[in-house]
């Protein structure tokens, strides 16, 4: 734990500013911890005065190492990306889709923002198979039937943004690998919220942004790629930040080129995943925030966070059902998302929730509750009291 952080206790009230009302919407956007806010302020103060320099390599090295520790990876297997979507698209490109055909198996509990991606790939000749939920889950036997020889990729959300369903990632990977397929997992609702172990699951690729359960902000996330896959992937972008060595031969006093293949510069790409996927500069403000928040999450412990949340989830399931709402989150779910379907949810519930100063995710025909480390059973009771009977 960092020296200026409050003790790692749950509920974690001390590290979050007082919010007006009851906030149960961290699955949409997590509040920024006070320590992360102060880290961002310190960075911006330095940028405003230009007194010294932000220790980019040191901070980003710690951030990458802490994220790797969070998911049981190595820092060399991690690349910074702009967002989860950017990470998923990078994997699609590196595998040669859509020019190289093949079968992709995905499901409708995957992030809805990826629907467009896979529908477009299908239009371009990729064999895309959509699995649909049964009893609010993607059945493992449906995956087993769909992943046939010739399948190249299984793409899923480890935890569904729609209803919090959590795949058995190891079983999915075992099935896929036995048939020669690779597995991509969107872990934006898993990393920092439930235990994630990329070694134990043997997942091939995973990506997430940082503005949800990692308590960072928009514009910076992580892409994990299993180390032994490095040489099987196609480099589809070329940039300075991918390089381990750069020796130009065009400026005064530059040495002459050592190879006719590189008349203006000799370059050597990095051997890690940044060597394949690095874009340009990263969001330094978010790096500063994550330098604090990832260390704090590790100090709290994801196992402890998950266990602390379970009584809140049980009360939510019980209370919502007793008020007549149809819960579509599996009752044994340990993830921080509980979803109900109700026709006209936004129109019917916006006013009473606003009056009670309770904030959740309100969609057209559903609502989602997502408690975090600072929430208590009292917050759940305030929500239940504010909801009219269905």
């Amino acid at each position: 734990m960092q020296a200026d952080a409050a003790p790692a206790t749950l509920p974690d009230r001390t590290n979050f500013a007082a919010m007006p009302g009851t906030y149960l919407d961290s699955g949409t956007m997590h509040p920024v911890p006070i320590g992360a806010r102060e880290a961002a302020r310190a960075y911006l103060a330095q940028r405003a005065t230009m007194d010294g320099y932000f220790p980019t390599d040191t901070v980003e090295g710690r951030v990458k190492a802490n994220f790797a520790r969070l998911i049981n990876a190595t820092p060399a297997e991690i690349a910074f990306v702009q967002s989860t979507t950017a990470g998923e698209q990078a994997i699609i490109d590196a595998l040669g889709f859509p020019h190289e055909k093949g079968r992709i198996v995905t499901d409708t509990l995957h992030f809805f923002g990826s629907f467009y991606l896979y529908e477009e790939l299908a239009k371009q000749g990729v064999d895309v198979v959509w699995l649909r939920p049964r009893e609010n889950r993607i059945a493992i036997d449906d995956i087993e039937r769909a992943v046939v020889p010739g399948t190249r990729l299984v793409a899923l959300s480890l935890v569904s943004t729609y209803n919090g369903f959590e795949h058995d990632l190891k079983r999915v990977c075992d099935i896929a690998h036995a048939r020669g397929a690779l597995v991509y997992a969107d872990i934006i609702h898993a990393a920092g919220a439930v235990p994630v172990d990329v070694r134990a699951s043997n997942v091939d690729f995973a990506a997430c942004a940082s503005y949800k359960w990692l308590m960072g902000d928009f514009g910076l996330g992580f892409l994990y790629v299993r180390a032994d896959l490095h040489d099987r992937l196609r480099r589809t972008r070329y940039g300075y930040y991918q390089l381990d060595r750069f020796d130009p031969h065009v400026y005064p006093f530059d040495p002459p080129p050592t190879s006719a293949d590189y008349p203006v510069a000799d370059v050597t790409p990095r051997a890690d995943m940044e060597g394949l996927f690095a874009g340009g500069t990263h969001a330094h403000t978010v790096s500063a925030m994550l330098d604090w928040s990832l260390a704090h999450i590790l100090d709290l412990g994801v196992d402890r966070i998950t266990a602390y949340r379970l009584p809140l989830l049980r009360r939510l399931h019980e209370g919502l059902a007793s008020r007549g709402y149809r819960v579509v989150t599996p009752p044994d779910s340990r993830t921080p998302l509980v979803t109900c379907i109700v026709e006209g949810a936004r129109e019917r519930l916006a006013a009473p929730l606003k009056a009670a100063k309770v904030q959740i995710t309100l969609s057209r025909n559903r609502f989602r509750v997502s408690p975090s480390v600072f929430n208590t059973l009292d917050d759940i009771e305030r929500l239940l009291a504010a909801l009219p009977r269905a």
Side-chain angles (χ1 to χ4, degrees):
M1 186 177 68
Q2 298 182 12
D4 59 346
T9 59
L10 292 167
D12 187 13
R13 296 285 213 183
T14 307
N15 288 298
F16 290 88
M19 286 167 273
T22 300
Y23 191 79
L24 288 162
D25 200 15
S26 292
T28 295
M29 193 184 315
H30 201 285
V32 172
I34 293 170
R37 182 188 69 188
E38 295 308 308
R41 284 178 174 171
Y43 167 74
L44 292 173
Q46 180 274 316
R47 288 284 288 113
T49 62
M50 293 310 299
D51 181 15
Y53 291 92
F54 181 65
T56 306
D57 291 344
T58 301
V59 170
E60 290 188 349
R62 276 198 305 263
V63 167
K64 189 180 290 187
N66 278 338
F67 179 75
R69 182 180 162 199
L70 190 71
I71 66 169
N72 195 23
T74 66
E77 295 173 304
I78 307 296
F80 289 111
V81 290
Q82 178 189 1
S83 64
T84 317
T85 297
E88 186 169 14
Q89 184 68 66
I91 294 305
I92 292 295
D93 294 343
L95 291 173
F97 292 110
H99 305 294
E100 296 181 20
K101 308 305 181 190
R103 185 181 181 95
I104 296 177
V105 174
T106 186
D107 65 68
T108 59
L109 292 184
H110 191 20
F111 175 46
F112 52 81
S114 296
F115 290 4
Y116 180 37
L117 168 62
Y118 294 108
E119 289 288 84
E120 286 301 309
L121 290 176
K123 290 177 184 177
Q124 296 177 59
V126 177
D127 178 19
V128 177
V129 176
W130 289 98
L131 302 180
R132 296 178 183 272
R134 291 190 279 138
E135 297 181 349
N136 303 312
R137 307 166 183 265
I138 302 300
I140 197 70
D141 53 334
D142 288 346
I143 294 174
E144 190 146 21
R145 281 190 291 269
V147 182
V148 298
T151 302
R152 295 185 57 209
L153 183 68
V154 177
L156 53 82
S157 291
L158 176 52
V159 173
S160 172
T161 189
Y162 168 70
N163 72 342
F165 164 74
E166 182 179 2
H167 278 278
D168 183 337
L169 190 55
K170 185 180 188 309
R171 289 189 68 189
V172 173
C173 291
D174 287 346
I175 291 166
H177 294 162
R179 293 162 173 78
L182 300 171
V183 178
Y184 164 81
D186 171 338
I187 59 171
I188 194 170
H189 282 297
V194 295
V196 177
D197 188 332
V198 296
R199 287 283 174 272
S201 67
N202 205 25
V203 70
D204 302 291
F205 316 110
C208 68
S210 68
Y211 63 89
K212 295 183 187 280
W213 306 103
L214 299 183
M215 306 179 193
D217 202 6
F218 295 91
L220 189 64
F222 303 94
L223 173 63
Y224 162 79
V225 179
R226 213 177 68 221
D228 60 297
L229 295 173
H230 183 282
D231 295 337
R232 291 175 56 183
L233 300 175
R234 174 184 300 178
R235 182 179 284 106
T236 61
R237 60 195 73 190
Y238 303 88
Y240 177 78
Y241 281 80
Q242 293 178 332
L243 299 181
D244 183 53
R245 174 172 161 263
F246 175 72
D247 294 321
H249 307 297
V250 297
Y251 303 117
F253 312 115
D254 280 351
T258 59
S259 168
D261 295 334
Y262 291 98
V264 298
D266 290 319
V267 298
T268 303
R270 294 170 56 151
D272 62 5
M273 292 310 163
E274 293 285 4
L276 283 176
F277 297 106
T281 53
H282 306 135
H284 290 176
T285 310
V286 188
S287 293
M289 297 167 69
L290 288 171
D291 195 25
W292 190 94
S293 65
L294 286 174
H296 184 60
I297 291 167
L298 288 167
D299 194 36
L300 285 171
V302 177
D303 287 329
R304 288 178 60 212
I305 292 170
T306 304
Y308 171 77
R309 189 172 56 234
L310 290 177
L312 280 64
L313 299 178
R314 285 195 292 268
R315 178 61 184 134
L316 267 173
H317 278 268
E318 172 192 286
L320 291 167
S322 70
R323 299 192 71 75
Y325 290 98
R326 181 181 168 191
V327 182
V328 294
T329 298
D332 58 348
S333 173
R334 63 177 182 170
T335 71
L337 309 174
V338 177
T339 299
C340 293
I341 56 171
V342 53
E343 188 173 5
R346 185 183 293 119
E347 183 179 345
R348 292 176 58 185
L349 301 179
L353 289 173
K354 183 178 180 180
K357 296 183 179 180
V358 174
Q359 186 169 337
I360 61 174
T361 305
L362 277 179
S363 301
R364 184 174 57 184
N365 294 314
R366 66 180 184 270
F367 66 86
R368 187 184 69 188
V369 186
S370 46
S372 189
V373 294
F374 53 84
N375 291 118
T376 66
L377 279 168
D378 288 343
D379 295 326
I380 305 302
E381 297 302 336
R382 290 188 197 98
L383 165 67
L384 295 172
L387 287 171
R389 296 193 67 84

